[in-house]
Amino acid sequence: MRFIESSDTSIRSSVITFRRPGIPMQFVLFPMVHIAEPAFYEEITARLKGCGLIVAEGYPMAEMKRLRRLAEYRLDDLVDQVVAMDIESLGIPILWPEHFHSDTPPSKLDELLSDAGAVVTWLSRVAFPSNLPDIDDTSRKDQPTNRIAKAWNRITVEDRDRELISALGKIYKMKQQQPLMVAVLYGAYHMTAVAEFLTDKLGYQPVSAEWLTVRHT
């Protein structure tokens, strides 16, 4: 299954709807590219309005203040997803699988690490806007071989996949008999794991796909 398509003229993302016979709940996969033209995020936002629950990558906006401030600075006509999309303003329930509530206030070290992570993320998006890992590389045919790359892949991909799959499984168990459209708003690199889970474990099948232009090349 192809989630991102590149050509000489554009990069496109495929919004795919999954259904299961006899189950009213549907899943809609939104394979995200985190740097794109503003129109791409506008089209995604418009389609999210038809969903009843959003399962989103990352953290609530209040916890990404540093990254959002940095992401406003770009030297091209592209825009960062954290700046372009305010999904919390849609009034739709949002589940953040990576977000954990805690009664303990963050320590100075936690804040320092968070700021450092925001800077690294921003620098990577500014330096490599056309070479993000979720561009034309969603099948994961080539796994990293050195220890550092393996560790990075485990943190950024494998651990997030497990958190996401666990969240989707819980949603299915609790709400499968509801006429609910669940949006999965994650980087395209995670969609292979999601599609395999929906088809192999839950019995869903893709029933429609709509290609949206991420950016022109």
Side-chain angles (χ1 to χ4, degrees):
M1 187 176 299
R2 196 165 180 81
F3 302 103
I4 299 293
E5 178 182 84
S6 297
S7 69
D8 293 336
T9 59
S10 67
I11 296 171
R12 303 193 302 168
S13 173
S14 181
V15 177
I16 306 175
T17 300
F18 284 74
R19 294 176 186 161
R20 175 179 172 178
I23 300 295
M25 187 172 67
Q26 303 177 41
F27 289 91
V28 185
L29 275 53
F30 291 88
M32 298 303 294
V33 176
H34 303 310
I35 300 294
E37 294 176 359
F40 172 67
Y41 298 120
E42 292 170 3
E43 293 180 347
I44 293 292
T45 300
R47 286 158 179 78
L48 287 175
K49 293 178 181 178
C51 299
L53 174 65
I54 300 173
V55 183
E57 183 177 17
Y59 301 87
M61 295 181 70
E63 299 184 27
M64 295 198 298
K65 293 179 180 179
R66 177 59 60 87
L67 177 57
R68 292 183 66 231
R69 287 197 295 267
L70 290 171
E72 292 178 354
Y73 297 97
R74 295 198 60 81
L75 301 177
D76 52 29
D77 58 353
L78 304 177
V79 63
D80 195 295
Q81 179 181 337
V82 299
V83 174
M85 296 186 69
D86 179 10
I87 61 174
E88 292 170 72
S89 68
L90 298 177
I92 300 170
I94 303 173
L95 175 64
W96 311 87
E98 299 174 60
H99 174 67
F100 295 96
H101 295 282
S102 174
D103 295 330
T104 305
S107 66
K108 292 295 183 181
L109 178 59
D110 292 332
E111 295 176 356
L112 180 62
L113 291 174
S114 177
D115 287 347
V119 172
V120 170
T121 299
W122 174 71
L123 287 173
S124 68
R125 294 181 181 182
V126 170
F128 306 106
S130 299
N131 193 36
L132 297 175
D134 51 11
I135 299 293
D136 258 0
D137 191 21
T138 56
S139 62
R140 309 186 195 178
K141 294 179 181 178
D142 299 320
Q143 295 295 325
T145 55
N146 66 74
R147 294 178 62 182
I148 295 178
K150 285 183 177 179
W152 181 252
N153 185 72
R154 184 180 66 254
I155 295 171
T156 60
V157 178
E158 295 174 4
D159 289 350
R160 288 180 177 178
D161 282 354
R162 281 192 288 270
E163 291 170 342
L164 174 55
I165 294 307
S166 175
L168 296 179
K170 292 176 182 177
I171 292 170
Y172 175 79
K173 184 177 181 179
M174 296 174 60
K175 301 180 181 293
Q176 60 180 278
Q177 295 303 326
Q178 298 181 21
L180 180 67
M181 185 171 289
V182 180
V184 183
L185 190 72
Y186 259 69
Y189 211 179
H190 299 280
M191 292 303 174
T192 295
V194 174
E196 289 178 352
F197 175 72
L198 292 179
T199 56
D200 297 347
K201 301 297 184 181
L202 300 186
Y204 278 76
Q205 292 298 323
V207 295
S208 65
E210 180 184 9
W211 288 99
L212 303 180
T213 299
V214 174
R215 59 178 177 250
H216 296 86
T217 57

